[in-house]
Amino acid sequence: MNARFSRKALRVPLVAAAAATALMLAACSGGAGGGTADTDADAADSGLMTPGTLVVGMNLQYKPQMFLEGDEPSGYDVDLLTLLAEEMGVELDIQNLDFNGLIPGLQSKQFDMVSVGLGATDERKEVIDFSRGYVPYATILGVAPGSELGSTIEDYDKEGVVITALQGSTGEQLVKDTFPNATVAGFPDQNSALLEVASGRADAVLVEDYILAEYDRSNPGQLTALDLSEPLSLYYGAWGVQKDNAALVEQLDAFLCAAQDDGTLEELYTKWMAPTMPEMPDGC
């Protein structure tokens, strides 16, 4: 299976060559000859903008879920997408972009799908569609060791407490909902949100447990999980798809159900994310 990776600077205008080509083909569908029309029909049947190529928007900064190993994409999502592309018999084209540009890029048809563990919120469902869940997330609160604020949600839900989160993420909204009296500070990348707490400029960071564990491996002793009785939330990240692209959603759901049933999801999760995989949703 062939794959390619587009190395793009973050926070720049999003221009995906594959998507641009697909849009050009669509614009020419009424031209002379049957070749372009046939190509468009094939693309519509597959749910892909360009037949034979699956263009995926990602943000490769979340080790071990998705990251750059040297110059190459790696991690849980990358392994899963590689299997998906093999199953579909297509080339995988990964576009590395800023997190905040992924949903707008999907809306403007710069890629077929987004793979960054998106939470399928009602607000997002208004502008894009979703596959079934493919990765579980336990959301926790990371604090500096020996934090004197306390060990309960109420201890951090106070005026003057600053809690960081990834800007534009479901975690940022969860901070607002769970800690309405605290101040939420959103950051464009996860490392900045973590470092703000490690450096003492903020009191806590709302983060997925696997991200905090990975940060601790690289920066031992800087942050620890607040010992709450249960996670602040447990939800399932899904693949984002262009609105009304039912053909692609159907293929993704069938692939994920098969991968869940035959143990592939659990095998990849325990390889990359954590020793034990939380229970996945029913419905396959």
Side-chain angles (χ1 to χ4, degrees), residues 36-76:
T36 301
D38 290 343
T39 299
D40 290 344
D42 290 342
D45 292 341
S46 69
L48 303 179
M49 297 180 300
T50 305
T53 302
L54 176 65
V55 185
V56 183
M58 302 182 74
N59 185 210
L60 297 169
Q61 66 164 1
Y62 303 116
K63 189 176 182 178
Q65 187 179 349
M66 62 198 86
F67 63 101
L68 287 174
E69 191 166 26
D71 290 332
E72 296 301 320
S74 189
Y76 175 82

Side-chain angles (χ1 to χ4, degrees), residues 165-227:
L166 179 65
Q167 194 174 58
S169 69
T170 53
E172 185 178 38
Q173 185 59 50
L174 183 59
V175 174
K176 297 176 182 178
D177 294 340
T178 309
F179 305 94
N181 296 308
T183 298
V184 57
F187 288 83
D189 65 85
Q190 192 72 74
N191 281 337
S192 295
L194 291 159
L195 288 171
E196 195 75 0
V197 181
S199 64
R201 292 189 293 268
D203 300 294
V205 54
L206 191 137
V207 66
E208 283 75 29
D209 56 353
Y210 78 92
I211 293 179
L212 185 62
E214 183 63 30
Y215 181 85
D216 184 61
R217 280 191 282 270
S218 302
N219 307 275
Q222 291 189 8
L223 295 175
T224 188
L226 189 67
D227 188 16

Side-chain angles (χ1 to χ4, degrees), residues 10 24 27 49 54 141 167 177 186 200 221 233 238 269:
L10 303 182
M24 290 173 63
M49 297 180 300
L54 176 65
L141 211 60
Q167 194 174 58
D177 294 340
S233 72
Y269 188 91

Side-chain angles (χ1 to χ4, degrees), residues 150-174:
S151 58
T152 69
I153 289 177
E154 290 74 17
D155 291 329
Y156 286 80
D157 184 24
K158 297 177 180 178
E159 290 186 10
V161 174
V162 178
I163 302 175
T164 66
L166 179 65
Q167 194 174 58
S169 69
T170 53
E172 185 178 38
Q173 185 59 50
L174 183 59

Side-chain angles (χ1 to χ4, degrees), residues 107-125:
Q107 289 179 268
S108 60
K109 300 186 177 181
Q110 296 182 39
F111 18 81
D112 297 296
M113 58 181 285
V114 164
S115 183
V116 71
L118 288 174
T121 64
D122 291 339
E123 182 179 6
R124 288 171 175 167
K125 287 178 181 178

